[in-house]
Amino acid sequence: MGDRGGPVVRFEVLGPLRAWRGDVALNLGPVQQQVVLAVLLLQANRPIGRDQLIEAVWGAQMPAYAVNLVQKHMSGLRRVLEPGRAGRQVSELVWTRTGYLLSLPAGALDLELFEQHVERARQARVRGDLQATGDELRSALRLWRGPLCDGLVGPLVEGERDRLAERRLEVWEQRLELDLAQSRHADVVGELRQLATRYPLRERLHELLMLALYRSGRQAEALAVFQEARRRLSDELGIEPAAPLQHLQRQILTADPALEPDARVEVVSAPTADPPVVASVDEPGMALPSQLPHSLADFAGRQTELTRLHGLLLDDVRDDGGDPVVITAIDGMAGVGKTALALHWAHQVRDRFPDGQLYVNLRGFDRTGSVMEPGEAIRAFLDAFGVSPQPIPVGLEAQAALYRTLLADKRVLVVLDNARDAEQVRPLLPGSPGCLAVVTSRNRLDSLVVTEGAHAVSVGLLTVAEARELLASRIGRTRVSAEPAATEEIIASCARLPLALAIVAARAATHPQFPLAVLADELREARGGLDAFDDDSDVATDVRAVFSWSYRALSDPVARVFRLLGLHPGPHLTTAVAASLAGLPRRDTHRALTDLTRANLIEEPAPGWFVFHDLLRAYANELAHERDSDGDRRVAMHRMLDHYLYTAHTADRLLNPHRDPLLLAAPRSGVTVERITDHQRALAWFAAEHPALLSAVDLAATLGSDAHVWQLAWSLATYFDLQGHWHDQVAVQRAALTALGTTADRAYETRAHCCLARAYSTLGRDDDAHTHLRLAAALSEGADDPTGQGHTHLTTARVLYRQFRHGEALDHARQSLELYRHTGHRAGQAAALNAVGWFCSLLDDHEKALVYCEEALALHAQLGDAYGEAAAWDSLGYAHEHLAHHDRAVRCYRHAIELWRQLGDRFNEADTLGRLGDTYRAIGDMNAARASWQQAKNMFDALHHPAADDIAAKLSRIAATVRA
């Protein structure tokens, strides 16, 4: 195959680095030049920045003249790869705006061919063509001549060498598994012995060798392999073999028929694109997520389902992490016990996933339709791993890529509960081998089975024996055995539905003096009374009798609380919310909630936090509509909205005490407001109530309570800004604008437009941001609202700053300062003074910057605004640094750092530490510079912020300077 510029240049990295033009081997020059080429080949068809290239080639051993060396090696490589540079060459090495780029045509790199063979093998396996699968895997493995770029050293080459060695071994194991599935037992014994000797701690190889020996009629030798593997693991690591190896030994001892040849085998999928890079979350002292809710202590039955689930895990998840991610989709009707089964099994296998266990209720069948968006779930998972809001990308696809990258090379269990459909689940599925995803849904997720290779496990009703066991585990075996007929009738009345049986069991347990026959009679009389659930195709028609009977057993006050709880939009509620709905004191509400929990009508997964089962929530809501007047329901919902509004307003004042306050009238009688007393508790409350607050805004809009809509949106704005919930900010502020359109309050309409502009600017939607700024300007000018005009100009300055339009930003900051001075708005003046000073400094007018920032600092101090003080100290440090007032710059930065630290603002603390390091470098104190930068890098790493790369580059340069 040729080209107008000459024969094709082929590259080989799967062994010693080699290049060929046609049949002629190329002399690639000195070793260091070959390392540069190796890095370019591993990044083929993707630009790599000069600093990245230097880091990849030399790492911490970077020479003083690394840039010159890179340029020299690039010139040498161009001479080798493109002699004469005549015509269009097959390999093209150029400098682009984003770095060096080595462009290769398809098939020019053996690593690319390896991955293509593996992908074709996967496709053949999906088609069921085992012969083609084996051929492609063998072709892939034949490309390897030795370790990656054998003989070359460098951080990137060595890291990729380890990764690809693991990749090669995974494919090798897949080929051996395929040979075993095709009854080539004797043919692979020798090969497996060699591999097991070379990798004595890789248990999967010992498994395959044992299986090959056993199927070859060599049972004793297979067991000897186990004993040797066990000895090596014990001697070298002090551990026992993992469960799969031990299970295989037991199968061999018992001659388990399941060990007979089977054509079922999985093939490792080739990656289709390079994932985004994220830092490790294994920060010292950081707790790995362990989010599984408690499993039922008296879980009963489901042995068939549990056996199948364990079998799937045994087949597909290996301790070497080399197998595809396992996806188990558990489906079944409401109340059948899908979640209980998933959690019970998850707790049984959680030890096999040492890197964490994630859980989320996707609310797929929430009565209000408030189905959880995949992005919300991903954000919660990233939060669980300690990923800071700042580097999290905006779009769902990018967020999902970050999430999958975070789980790469980890063993994590992910439970996705109550999913609505496959589309909701797909972005949440890990892509890392060795992970396990467990999905529960009322619907069968057939498309997951087809496209993702999920294993479907359908959960039906309990058998009579299992139902009897469930009752016995909860009310006592003696009691069940004493009244077998009544027990059978109860089971029949509950239609063997676990939820219904649990409610009856709770009733029986709390009234031990009641004969079961009495309970059976009551169930018989109550059946069929709940027409709202009348559906002959749904067994829920049978559980309606249990609900109604359980409800009638409540006292009138508790029954009223139960009904009103059904008006809550979900997904969870607190004692204070329940008290506000009911208009009762907290103590009386707590007693009612305790009664409802004991009756299994609500659950309390955490102290003071309550959730409904979907059917029970719908049932309570219907009862409220049947038995409470429209007026009573509306008043209850307004009390609930008051609870969220007044608590959110209190928390917002703690987060941002110098913000323009809302002038709220007193809450309605009967409203309970949460007691929040400090900044940290305010953040925690917002985080816990985040989904409920969004639901409250939606409910207020549905009820036509416009004041609640825009006032809640105002109270949420600071929290959303601090935590980076920009999409939520857009949603609630748009709702606020709709609500404010019915009022004459143009001041808050202006502020809502400003909030939207900031959010859109952060999301990169500059046109939308400027649209809302123009609307804010028109409103504030038309209403003769100079404070609103000041807010608009200051917001405009911040939006322009993000666009690097510093001159225009300074003009708007000055206009905002003039307006704030005119109105006497002191907090606005302080913020505007600092903004003017900052933009002056960015435009190299540092002397003027000092004047403005010192005035800002004094005013912030008078107001007691610690955030403003920290920002002003940082701005002053920047100005002094650029005026070569290094001692003063150091003092300013240290003041800022101390305040950021007290406020818990780790991002700004790291940002200021980076500038402090720059100042130390300028005065020649390299030790202090290194210490400041190292602190900054550690914090940026912990936040997973890309600024860590810039700090790392500074540390590398200072190390090179010291060596020189």
Side-chain angles (χ1 to χ4, degrees):
M1 177 178 176
D3 186 85
R4 287 180 299 173
V8 170
V9 177
R10 295 179 290 106
F11 297 92
E12 296 176 354
V13 295
L14 302 181
L17 177 63
R18 301 193 304 195
W20 306 79
R21 179 176 288 106
D23 296 328
V24 178
L26 302 182
N27 182 353
L28 299 177
V31 171
Q32 202 67 71
Q33 182 169 296
Q34 293 184 42
V35 175
V36 172
L37 175 59
V39 170
L40 293 169
L41 288 169
L42 292 172
Q43 297 285 320
N45 299 314
R46 291 172 292 169
I48 179 171
R50 183 181 287 116
D51 288 345
Q52 291 176 283
L53 180 64
I54 291 171
E55 177 70 23
V57 173
W58 287 285
Q61 306 302 316
M62 178 182 64
Y65 304 101
V67 173
N68 293 336
L69 288 173
V70 166
Q71 293 171 344
K72 172 186 174 183
H73 292 322
M74 290 297 172
S75 298
L77 288 173
R78 289 192 183 101
R79 288 193 295 272
V80 172
L81 302 179
E82 302 172 5
R85 301 180 61 80
R88 178 179 174 275
Q89 300 299 322
V90 178
S91 63
E92 192 173 315
L93 178 55
V94 297
W95 170 258
T96 71
R97 292 173 56 190
T98 53
Y100 290 104
L101 174 66
L102 177 60
S103 299
L104 298 182
L109 181 64
D110 59 351
L111 177 57
E112 176 196 0
L113 295 173
F114 169 77
E115 295 293 2
Q116 288 175 356
H117 282 303
V118 174
E119 172 59 20
R120 286 197 288 267
R122 185 193 66 79
Q123 294 172 0
R125 176 66 186 91
V126 171
R127 297 193 305 269
D129 188 344
L130 298 186
Q131 184 60 47
T133 302
D135 291 344
E136 293 292 347
L137 291 176
R138 291 182 184 87
S139 296
L141 292 170
R142 278 196 293 269
L143 291 168
W144 285 82
R145 300 170 289 106
L148 177 82
C149 297
D150 196 11
L152 300 183
V153 296
L156 180 67
V157 170
E158 292 176 73
E160 284 296 283
R161 181 176 295 142
D162 292 340
R163 184 184 72 83
L164 287 169
E166 175 70 18
R167 178 82 166 123
R168 177 194 187 190
L169 194 52
E170 291 170 357
V171 174
W172 205 335
E173 287 175 343
Q174 294 294 328
R175 199 225 80 206
L176 289 164
E177 289 176 347
L178 186 68
D179 286 343
L180 288 175
Q182 294 179 307
S183 300
R184 300 191 186 103
H185 325 306
D187 296 342
V188 298
V189 167
E191 186 178 3
L192 278 166
R193 281 197 188 278
Q194 291 179 348
L195 284 173
T197 301
R198 190 186 309 173
Y199 305 100
L201 302 181
R202 195 173 181 94
E203 293 183 53
R204 181 59 180 147
L205 290 172
H206 294 295
E207 288 182 53
L208 295 174
L209 177 56
M210 289 168 64
L211 190 58
L213 288 167
Y214 176 78
R215 289 181 178 175
S216 301
R218 299 155 70 177
Q219 181 183 22
E221 292 179 65
L223 293 172
V225 170
F226 174 82
Q227 294 301 329
E228 175 61 18
R230 183 178 187 180
R231 184 190 64 77
R232 292 294 294 268
L233 291 168
S234 177
D235 291 348
E236 298 189 27
L237 302 178
I239 62 174
E240 286 292 313
L245 197 59
Q246 294 192 43
H247 181 72
L248 179 58
Q249 183 217 22
R250 291 193 294 271
Q251 286 182 297
I252 291 173
L253 286 169
T254 59
D256 189 339
L259 295 181
E260 293 306 312
D262 186 347
R264 188 178 184 278
V265 64
E266 301 291 345
V267 177
V268 175
S269 301
T272 57
D274 290 310
V277 177
V278 296
S280 171
V281 300
D282 298 331
E283 180 184 349
M286 175 180 287
L288 292 170
S290 183
Q291 298 183 334
L292 294 181
H294 291 300
S295 178
L296 290 174
D298 48 9
F299 181 90
R302 303 300 189 195
Q303 288 307 308
T304 300
E305 291 85 351
L306 287 170
T307 299
R308 172 161 166 68
L309 290 169
H310 282 299
L312 293 174
L313 186 61
L314 185 65
D315 285 344
D316 289 339
V317 179
R318 307 297 181 184
D319 284 343
D320 61 13
D323 300 89
V325 60
V326 178
I327 306 162
T328 299
I330 300 175
D331 65 83
M333 68 183 68
V336 80
K338 302 178 295 295
T339 298
L341 172 63
L343 292 178
H344 184 74
W345 182 52
H347 277 282
Q348 289 185 335
V349 301
R350 65 181 300 166
D351 289 342
R352 301 194 58 177
F353 301 92
D355 297 317
Q357 303 91 41
L358 300 173
Y359 171 86
V360 65
N361 178 2
L362 295 173
R363 307 195 301 271
F365 297 89
D366 191 273
R367 174 186 57 81
T368 63
S370 60
V371 178
M372 181 180 286
E373 292 295 329
E376 181 183 350
I378 290 174
R379 177 59 188 271
F381 286 166
L382 295 177
D383 287 346
F385 275 107
V387 177
S388 172
Q390 284 88 354
I392 295 177
V394 173
L396 173 61
E397 187 173 343
Q399 289 177 347
L402 175 63
Y403 161 67
R404 288 191 296 271
T405 304
L406 189 68
L407 299 190
D409 301 321
K410 289 182 170 58
R411 297 183 63 79
V412 176
L413 169 60
V414 183
V415 179
L416 307 173
D417 195 17
N418 199 15
R420 187 169 194 84
D421 52 36
E423 294 306 311
Q424 186 188 22
V425 167
R426 280 195 179 91
L428 308 178
L429 296 175
S432 177
C435 286
L436 169 64
V438 183
V439 185
T440 75
S441 177
R442 292 186 193 177
N443 291 334
R444 290 185 58 179
L445 305 181
D446 291 339
S447 63
L448 282 186
V449 177
V450 174
T451 62
E452 311 293 340
H455 303 284
V457 177
S458 294
V459 181
L461 299 173
L462 295 172
T463 65
V464 172
E466 288 174 329
R468 192 183 302 113
E469 182 64 25
L470 187 153
L471 288 174
S473 68
R474 299 196 176 199
I475 65 176
R477 198 170 305 279
T478 301
R479 197 172 175 191
V480 168
S481 299
E483 296 187 74
T487 298
E488 299 305 309
E489 186 169 355
I490 289 171
I491 291 171
S493 296
C494 292
R496 293 179 285 121
L497 191 66
L499 177 61
L501 289 163
I503 294 172
V504 175
R507 169 75 164 166
T510 54
H511 296 87
Q513 74 279 13
F514 285 12
L516 295 185
V518 173
L519 301 180
D521 290 341
E522 291 181 359
L523 281 172
R524 190 185 320 112
E525 293 171 3
R527 289 187 66 187
L530 303 177
D531 294 339
F533 295 98
D534 192 9
D535 182 355
D536 292 338
S537 65
D538 190 346
V539 180
T541 55
D542 292 307
V543 80
R544 296 199 319 260
V546 178
F547 290 168
S548 64
W549 164 78
S550 187
Y551 168 75
R552 288 201 309 273
L554 302 173
S555 66
D556 289 343
V558 175
R560 175 177 173 272
V561 171
F562 176 71
R563 295 196 304 272
L564 294 179
L565 293 184
L567 302 175
H568 188 272
H572 56 247
L573 52 89
T574 64
T575 302
V577 177
S580 298
L581 271 167
L584 294 173
R586 189 187 291 263
R587 179 178 298 179
D588 294 344
T589 306
H590 178 73
R591 292 196 191 100
L593 292 170
T594 299
D595 288 346
L596 292 172
T597 303
R598 287 173 179 165
N600 274 350
L601 290 172
I602 59 173
E603 296 178 20
E604 188 178 13
W609 291 82
F610 300 89
V611 295
F612 264 122
H613 183 277
D614 295 343
L615 293 180
L616 284 166
R617 185 196 298 276
Y619 175 56
N621 183 273
E622 284 215 5
L623 286 175
H625 280 79
E626 290 174 5
R627 306 196 179 191
D628 297 294
S629 67
D630 289 346
D632 287 344
R633 292 196 307 275
R634 190 171 187 84
V635 168
M637 287 188 285
H638 276 85
R639 282 196 303 262
M640 175 183 65
L641 292 174
D642 272 2
H643 159 83
Y644 284 122
L645 172 59
Y646 285 86
T647 306
H649 183 256
T650 299
D652 178 69
R653 299 299 294 161
L654 289 165
L655 296 183
N656 191 354
H658 302 285
R659 188 179 181 215
D660 294 342
L662 285 173
L663 300 177
L664 298 176
R668 289 169 175 79
S669 176
V671 173
T672 298
V673 179
E674 295 283 5
R675 303 180 187 93
I676 303 174
T677 56
D678 59 41
H679 183 278
Q680 290 304 317
R681 287 183 174 87
L683 277 177
W685 181 82
F686 273 123
E689 291 284 21
H690 185 158
L693 287 163
L694 294 176
S695 296
V697 173
D698 292 340
L699 177 63
T702 301
L703 293 174
S705 183
D706 293 331
H708 279 116
V709 173
W710 71 262
Q711 290 172 352
L712 271 169
W714 174 257
S715 300
L716 289 168
T718 299
Y719 170 71
F720 285 161
D721 277 342
L722 288 175
Q723 296 298 306
H725 296 296
W726 306 113
H727 289 292
D728 291 338
Q729 184 80 287
V730 167
V732 299
Q733 297 303 332
R734 287 175 65 90
L737 286 174
T738 301
L740 284 162
T742 66
T743 73
D745 198 331
R746 297 295 172 256
Y748 284 106
E749 194 171 351
T750 297
R751 288 153 177 77
H753 280 298
C754 287
C755 282
L756 267 173
R758 286 198 304 274
Y760 279 134
S761 175
T762 305
L763 293 171
R765 295 171 59 176
D766 293 332
D767 290 343
D768 290 327
H770 285 290
T771 295
H772 284 281
L773 287 171
R774 287 192 293 271
L775 292 169
L779 282 168
S780 57
E781 291 169 7
D784 192 21
D785 175 15
T787 298
Q789 294 173 42
H791 293 335
T792 302
H793 281 294
L794 190 56
T795 303
T796 303
R798 289 167 176 165
V799 171
L800 291 169
Y801 169 62
R802 289 184 175 275
Q803 298 176 271
F804 302 98
R805 296 159 65 180
H806 298 152
E808 296 171 74
L810 176 59
D811 291 340
H812 283 280
R814 284 174 169 159
Q815 292 180 69
S816 72
L817 177 58
E818 183 179 343
L819 288 160
Y820 287 136
R821 282 174 169 165
H822 174 71
T823 61
H825 194 292
R826 301 181 73 210
Q829 287 179 56
L833 282 165
N834 190 56
V836 171
W838 176 248
F839 290 123
C840 283
S841 215
L842 291 176
L843 293 167
D844 294 327
D845 194 348
H846 305 296
E847 293 284 1
K848 188 175 291 184
L850 290 177
V851 175
Y852 282 103
C853 293
E854 285 171 355
E855 187 178 351
L857 178 63
L859 187 50
H860 278 306
Q862 291 175 25
L863 295 170
D865 185 350
Y867 272 109
E869 287 185 71
W873 279 118
D874 182 68
S875 299
L876 285 167
Y878 186 84
H880 281 304
E881 176 190 348
H882 287 78
L883 288 169
H885 303 160
H886 296 123
D887 290 343
R888 276 176 283 181
V890 168
R891 288 196 296 272
C892 291
Y893 283 142
R894 284 177 173 171
H895 280 304
I897 289 165
E898 181 60 29
L899 287 169
W900 295 133
R901 194 167 290 158
Q902 291 173 11
L903 293 164
D905 192 331
R906 300 180 70 198
F907 172 79
N908 277 312
E909 181 184 347
D911 202 33
T912 306
L913 277 166
R915 284 193 276 276
L916 177 61
D918 295 342
T919 305
Y920 281 132
R921 178 185 56 185
I923 60 179
D925 190 343
M926 296 306 183
N927 289 332
R930 185 188 299 107
S932 294
W933 284 336
Q934 191 61 57
Q935 288 183 65
K937 181 180 181 299
N938 291 344
M939 297 181 76
F940 280 132
D941 281 339
L943 294 169
H944 305 283
H945 196 280
D949 295 336
D950 295 332
I951 302 295
K954 292 178 181 179
L955 286 166
S956 296
R957 286 194 289 271
I958 199 173
T961 301
V962 171
R963 286 195 301 274

